[in-house]
Amino acid sequence: MKIIIGEKPSVAREIAAIVGAKTRKEGYWEGNGYAVTYAFGHLMGLAMPEAYGFSGFRRENLPILPKEFILVPRQVKEGKEYKNDPGAMKQLNIIKELFGKADGIIEATDSGREGELIFRYIYDYAGCTLPFERLWISSLTDKAIREGLQNLKPGSDYDNLYLSAKARSQADYVVGVNASQALSIAAGSGVYSLGRVQTPTLAMICSRYLENKAFQAQTFFQLKLHTAKDAAAFAALSTAKFDNRPLADAALSRVRSAGQVEVTGVERKEVNQEAPLLYDLTTLQKEANSRHGFSADKTLSIAQTLYEKKLATYPRTGSRYIPTDVMDEIPELIGKLKSYPRFAAYAESLENTVLNIRSVDNKKITDHHALLITENRPGELSEDERTLYEMIAGRMLESFSGKCKKENTVISLTSADIAFSARGSVMLAPGWRGVFNSQDEEKEEDATLLPAVAQGDRLTVSDCGVLEKQTKPRPIHTEASLLSSMEQAGRELENEDEREAMKDAGIGTPATRAGIIETLLLREYMRREKKSLVPTEKGLVVYQAVKDKKIADAAMTGSWEHALSKIETGEMSAGTFHREIEIYAAQITSELLETKIEGQGSGKWLTVPCPKCKTGHVAFFPKVAKCDNAGCGLLVFRGVADRELTDSHLENLFAKGSTGIIKGFNSKKTGKPFDAALIFDSEFKTGFQFSPKPGGKRKFK
């Protein structure tokens, strides 16, 4: 019997249908000589430090550098201990039993680095030595699965991919464990979380935020002149910027007195705008965030759903190109869109035209080619799913379309020795922009349709005024701009070719960047404010502590990602990489142990004196606040009667024994909302104190 293992039940079900394994068993499908089973993502992981004999956070334990890493089933926390996840154990035992009966194994986890790691860790846990084959596909259509099963690869072909995945896993463990413990020890109380990719990402967010808040806007003035030629009115801005209002007013007076403006130059230039490359995951996430406000994690989740619905190719790709053999399928895919109402007319217009091959390059394919739709027509989709499907389909049409041709015009003018400039643009051929009828994303502020003028023309000034403007800081990061910074390891690159070249040296991967952003949100290092990512006080405290340390260096983290890609191609030894990571971990541990926690709020969010034992300190955590004196036991949950207590509430409670009146509690008995103060009783248990009614006494409950 051949055993096929997918990454999740939904994928295994699709494969089982193709191979004829129709009988549903517990944890797998069986039939036609196959058993198709599955993981639930990562069923195995690296053991916690306690498994190596390192309990608690102790300076003398650091750095923790295991000689041999211990693999354990997925863990869940019960009280203060970690135990095997019962669900993971059940599925692991089913897989192990199936492997024991197998005469052949087919690895069908996701075709990427993490998918490889998931399978190999399970394979190792099962103690299996049977050779296995690899199903490597870029979509879940029936056609793709059948072709993949007919072209299975030896599992050994992907040994370097596994070594890269394992090296990534171990590097994140070593850096994360040592950095987090070192900073927590240096702080004296509380628990901090640092990571190889997480921390430089936080540094990007905080540095941009602080730069934005410290920016001092400079006021300047420009003249805006209105004139016309043959009844076609247009406006022009002064090329000079005036530092103060009197200078601007003096210039305005001269222009008004002159009453005329002379055309001193006309420059017309035909510009060809190349069609955009196809989407990789990061570019899709950036544009979905900018256009539709989707978080990176939401975009990835929807793209994964479209993949599992057989409507889009594998989403976790870092490539914006397709190989020549896939290009052969593009005319058919475009043809399928003739029956899709939104794109029908445009898809029809591409018939019998020469398609743009800018996105076709065999040398630039990574694990998977760029995102494409499949031959399947979408049925019922949610609004968000349809939005993303149309982004992918529309980008495919754009990428294989002709260039957008425009004529840009710049008119130079002078009045009273003051230079003005007017800019205009005329679309000659929309090309790829015709898919969504999109305009230039970066439109010049005063761009307009300009009349035909010639050098030497003298025109009447119909009006002129002073505009007061201010210089603007770089905006606070959105998920779109943060993803760009992560992709470029903090470098500001505008050129598309330069950005492509930097991909291997970015921080994180297309598959992991959304997770890093969500981790920073979960750990309350930042929060979303509309589209902006704003660091919390907690995040700023961590940033101030680590901003000059190696752990916050995005370029260095990017170099590790580049090294992992070299392991994948066989250009670098995993052992060499791990030795470098151990040296790095030792360096950052030493740095962080000497760190002083300073910054916003003097770290007050972290600890306050314990009012119960008087000797310990209460540390604030995401879900609870508790005393660090093991014998004290003072603990307050943040969640009270459907209301989340803020740091300010907790500070008042521990310092004064009472919060102010908090609005929005909900009674468990009646389901009705109420307002009350939270107070300590004589045994430091919390209760509610209600405001008295007129003439009454305060009530405690």
Side-chain angles (χ1 to χ4, degrees):
M1 180 170 62
K2 280 200 170 183
I3 308 300
I4 303 176
I5 176 170
E7 190 160 317
K8 57 176 66 173
S10 59
V11 175
R13 184 177 61 245
E14 298 295 339
I15 296 172
I18 296 296
V19 300
K22 298 178 180 180
T23 304
R24 184 73 166 100
K25 302 274 187 170
E26 188 168 19
Y28 64 100
W29 286 266
E30 188 177 59
N32 199 30
Y34 289 93
V36 186
T37 187
Y38 46 83
F40 299 106
H42 286 275
L43 292 180
M44 302 291 299
L46 300 178
M48 300 297 285
E50 287 78 6
Y52 303 97
F54 302 115
S55 59
F57 288 12
R58 300 179 184 277
R59 183 180 292 263
E60 59 269 22
N61 289 344
L62 302 182
I64 297 170
L65 304 172
K67 291 182 179 178
E68 295 289 337
F69 283 87
I70 300 171
L71 270 179
V72 294
R74 188 164 64 205
Q75 304 282 285
V76 291
K77 195 170 186 180
E78 289 187 9
K80 295 184 177 181
E81 295 183 359
Y82 284 92
K83 296 184 178 180
N84 293 339
D85 180 343
M89 285 303 303
K90 183 178 180 180
Q91 190 63 17
L92 280 168
N93 288 331
I94 289 170
I95 296 169
K96 186 175 182 179
E97 185 178 345
L98 288 172
F99 279 6
K101 300 174 182 177
D103 52 34
I105 294 174
I106 298 173
E107 174 193 358
T109 46
D110 282 358
S111 303
R113 195 165 74 183
E114 291 309 300
E116 193 68 26
L117 190 69
I118 286 168
F119 169 75
R120 299 286 185 123
Y121 276 178
I122 293 171
Y123 183 82
D124 181 83
Y125 171 81
C128 191
T129 57
L130 198 66
F132 59 90
E133 295 175 291
R134 185 53 153 119
L135 174 68
W136 191 272
I137 52 178
S138 287
S139 80
L140 285 175
T141 62
D142 292 358
K143 177 184 174 184
I145 294 171
R146 286 195 178 96
E147 288 180 354
L149 289 169
Q150 290 168 5
N151 295 280
L152 295 170
K153 307 290 184 183
S156 57
D157 285 1
Y158 299 90
D159 284 350
N160 285 334
L161 180 64
Y162 165 58
L163 291 174
S164 173
K166 185 168 72 168
R168 191 281 310 156
S169 175
Q170 293 176 353
D172 284 351
Y173 179 94
V174 167
V175 173
V177 164
N178 286 293
S180 298
Q181 291 202 13
L183 190 59
S184 299
I185 290 167
S189 58
V191 178
Y192 293 83
S193 172
L194 301 180
R196 183 181 64 90
V197 179
Q198 169 192 317
T199 305
T201 303
L202 175 64
M204 290 176 183
I205 294 160
C206 292
S207 62
R208 176 70 70 88
Y209 173 81
L210 293 173
E211 174 193 327
N212 179 277
K213 293 305 176 187
F215 183 82
Q216 294 186 343
Q218 301 295 317
T219 300
F220 66 93
F221 303 87
Q222 280 183 289
L223 300 188
K224 187 173 185 179
L225 176 150
H226 295 270
T227 186
K229 172 73 180 289
D230 298 332
F234 66 99
L237 279 177
S238 63
T239 56
K241 296 176 181 178
F242 303 95
D243 293 335
N244 57 62
R245 185 66 186 244
L247 285 174
D249 286 341
L252 174 65
S253 179
R254 297 204 309 273
V255 172
R256 285 178 171 173
S257 295
Q260 287 190 323
V261 61
E262 180 181 353
V263 177
T264 57
V266 180
E267 181 184 352
R268 291 186 177 86
K269 186 177 181 181
E270 189 171 307
V271 176
N272 292 325
Q273 289 186 329
E274 281 282 7
L277 294 170
L278 292 163
Y279 282 131
D280 63 357
L281 176 59
T282 301
T283 313
L284 178 67
Q285 288 170 318
K286 288 191 292 186
E287 295 194 12
N289 180 252
S290 298
R291 296 178 187 177
H292 306 292
F294 289 4
S295 70
D297 189 59
K298 179 177 180 177
T299 299
L300 175 56
S301 176
I302 297 170
Q304 182 71 22
T305 299
L306 293 176
Y307 170 66
E308 291 174 15
K309 287 186 174 182
K310 308 182 182 183
L311 298 176
T313 57
Y314 187 66
R316 291 174 169 82
T317 175
S319 178
R320 300 185 68 183
Y321 296 86
I322 59 170
T324 50
D325 62 332
V326 174
M327 180 63 200
D328 294 339
E329 302 172 16
I330 295 301
E332 180 187 350
L333 294 178
I334 292 174
K336 296 287 183 182
L337 290 174
K338 291 179 187 177
S339 61
Y340 192 89
R342 183 169 188 183
F343 301 121
Y346 192 89
E348 187 77 39
S349 74
L350 289 181
E351 191 170 13
N352 299 320
T353 63
V354 177
L355 298 180
N356 190 332
I357 59 170
R358 183 172 181 239
S359 292
V360 183
D361 192 332
N362 289 350
K363 296 178 181 177
K364 294 183 178 179
I365 310 301
T366 52
D367 291 345
H368 294 276
H369 59 66
L371 268 161
L372 296 170
I373 61 168
T374 67
E375 66 270 22
N376 295 331
R377 181 184 172 87
E380 198 68 34
L381 294 176
S382 70
E383 184 179 344
D384 288 345
E385 288 168 352
R386 189 162 295 279
T387 294
L388 210 67
Y389 176 81
E390 290 183 354
M391 284 186 69
I392 297 167
R395 176 50 57 88
M396 185 184 78
L397 292 174
E398 288 178 335
S399 297
F400 296 107
S401 296
K403 298 174 182 178
C404 169
K405 295 182 180 180
K406 300 190 304 178
E407 183 182 73
N408 291 340
T409 303
V410 178
I411 300 176
S412 300
L413 310 103
T414 302
S415 178
D417 296 324
I418 297 168
F420 290 83
S421 179
R423 297 176 183 272
S425 183
V426 177
M427 185 80 76
L428 302 177
W432 63 271
R433 286 197 178 276
V435 176
F436 291 109
N437 294 315
S438 60
Q439 301 300 312
D440 290 350
E441 290 181 7
E442 296 179 6
K443 204 171 182 181
E444 290 292 338
E445 183 175 344
D446 284 288
T448 185
L449 183 63
L450 298 175
V453 297
Q455 186 172 343
D457 284 353
R458 299 183 69 82
L459 309 174
T460 300
V461 175
S462 59
D463 190 22
C464 190
V466 176
L467 301 178
E468 182 176 331
K469 299 183 176 182
Q470 287 191 321
T471 55
K472 295 180 180 179
R474 288 196 301 170
I476 294 169
H477 269 307
T478 62
E479 289 198 38
S481 64
L482 179 62
L483 286 166
S484 288
S485 287
M486 293 176 77
E487 188 176 40
Q488 300 156 28
R491 297 168 176 83
E492 299 293 330
L493 301 176
E494 299 298 329
N495 181 278
E496 188 170 51
D497 291 331
E498 289 180 355
R499 292 200 302 268
E500 284 294 308
M502 270 299 299
K503 279 192 171 183
D504 285 343
I507 64 173
T509 66
T512 61
R513 288 174 189 137
I516 293 297
I517 292 171
E518 292 303 314
T519 296
L520 291 172
L521 290 163
L522 181 66
R523 288 175 175 159
E524 298 184 328
Y525 284 166
M526 67 179 185
R527 63 181 181 274
R528 289 189 178 98
E529 288 187 3
K530 296 182 180 178
K531 283 190 176 182
S532 297
L533 297 174
V534 177
T536 60
E537 187 174 3
K538 180 179 179 181
L540 288 167
V541 168
V542 173
Y543 169 68
Q544 295 293 352
V546 303
K547 63 182 181 180
D548 299 321
K549 308 295 189 291
K550 285 184 170 64
I551 186 105
D553 187 341
M556 180 172 287
T557 304
S559 72
W560 294 136
E561 204 62 57
H562 188 52
L564 290 169
S565 67
K566 284 189 170 184
I567 295 171
E568 188 174 328
T569 58
E571 299 173 69
M572 184 175 184
S573 157
T576 299
F577 172 79
H578 190 70
R579 284 191 291 275
E580 290 181 5
I581 283 289
E582 287 188 327
I583 293 168
Y584 171 70
Q587 290 171 339
I588 60 171
T589 299
S590 178
E591 280 187 339
L592 292 169
L593 284 172
E594 302 306 316
T595 298
K596 291 183 179 179
I597 304 298
E598 298 172 349
Q600 300 291 320
S602 303
K604 283 187 178 180
W605 67 270
L606 185 62
T607 58
V608 294
C610 178
K612 182 180 180 183
C613 68
K614 311 293 185 185
T615 58
H617 285 78
V618 179
F620 292 6
F621 297 96
K623 301 296 182 185
V624 299
K626 61 181 180 179
C627 181
D628 58 9
N629 179 351
C632 175
L634 179 60
L635 180 143
V636 174
F637 287 95
R638 281 189 186 264
V640 179
D642 294 337
R643 183 71 164 82
E644 194 78 8
L645 300 180
T646 66
D647 285 355
S648 295
H649 292 148
L650 292 171
E651 285 189 63
N652 285 329
L653 180 63
F654 292 114
K656 303 174 184 177
S658 171
T659 68
I661 295 295
I662 300 172
K663 296 184 177 182
F665 291 116
N666 277 301
S667 170
K668 291 182 179 180
K669 289 183 179 179
T670 66
K672 294 181 179 179
F674 65 91
D675 304 336
L678 196 69
I679 70 171
F680 280 134
D681 66 11
S682 58
E683 296 180 355
F684 288 92
K685 292 181 179 179
T686 56
F688 296 113
Q689 190 173 57
F690 299 88
S691 293
K693 294 179 180 179
K697 297 180 179 179
R698 293 179 71 89
K699 292 182 179 181
F700 174 74
K701 188 176 180 180

